[in-house]
Amino acid sequence: MRILLLEDDGLLGECARVGLAQRDFFVEWVTQIRLARRIMDGGDYSCLLLDLCLPDGDGLQFLRELREAGNDVPVIIITARYEVEERIRGLEYGADDYLTKPYSLDELAARLRAVLRRRDGRASNILVCGGIRMDPLAMTVQAGEEPLDLPPMEFRLLRAFLQQPGKIQTREALLQALRGDGVEDVASNLLDVHIHNLRKKLGSERIKTVRGLGYIFIGDD
């Protein structure tokens, strides 16, 4: 899940970036609205984590601009402002959730997962497709009634497929899914290795190659 963090505090930004990476979120961090505006024009993000007090403008105004332009990316406001009126205004401007500083990284990760579940129309973290059941929090996978013991990278790759079954996923998107625990980069050929291993465990018909585009996970439900 590709997250954009807009936070001008260097210590908080780095802690959030590293902490969320350890919880399997891929975070891009910027410190100014103008930078966020620029990269959002050319990037597809699962959620925006938005500070309000920024050096080049007001976060609420930036949020309002996004919504008026038709951008429906989920937004979680993260701020030191405690006033109820500020929270109400943020929600009325289109925020999906609100978290005050200081915050727990575990709570932030939980709120991110909840916002993304709502976006995908799911009430639970459990991912089910084609007889495969994954619990991302418990780190368990079942194929039918049989448990599957997957190493971390295979687990992350399968989770990415189960989150978007039936949709083509590019190599770059899947490489981002493989990153975790603070890993900055993953060799491209490792993706082929892990896809090969998943095909052996789940059946070769599950993961189809779409030439020139990427891969697609096929469910039978």
Side-chain angles (χ1 to χ4, degrees), residues 1-4 44-48 73-75 115-116 119:
M1 288 168 281
R2 194 176 176 206
I3 308 300
L4 178 60
D44 183 20
Y45 294 91
S46 299
C47 189
L48 169 63
V73 62
V75 174
V115 164
L116 296 174
R119 180 200 62 180

Side-chain angles (χ1 to χ4, degrees), residues 73-85:
V73 62
V75 174
I76 298 177
I77 290 175
I78 301 177
T79 182
R81 299 181 187 175
Y82 288 88
E83 296 83 359
V84 173
E85 293 78 7

Side-chain angles (χ1 to χ4, degrees), residues 96-97 111 113-123:
D96 296 87
D97 203 350
R111 287 176 181 265
R113 286 189 288 264
V115 164
L116 296 174
R117 284 200 308 271
R118 292 197 295 270
R119 180 200 62 180
D120 295 336
R122 295 183 288 115

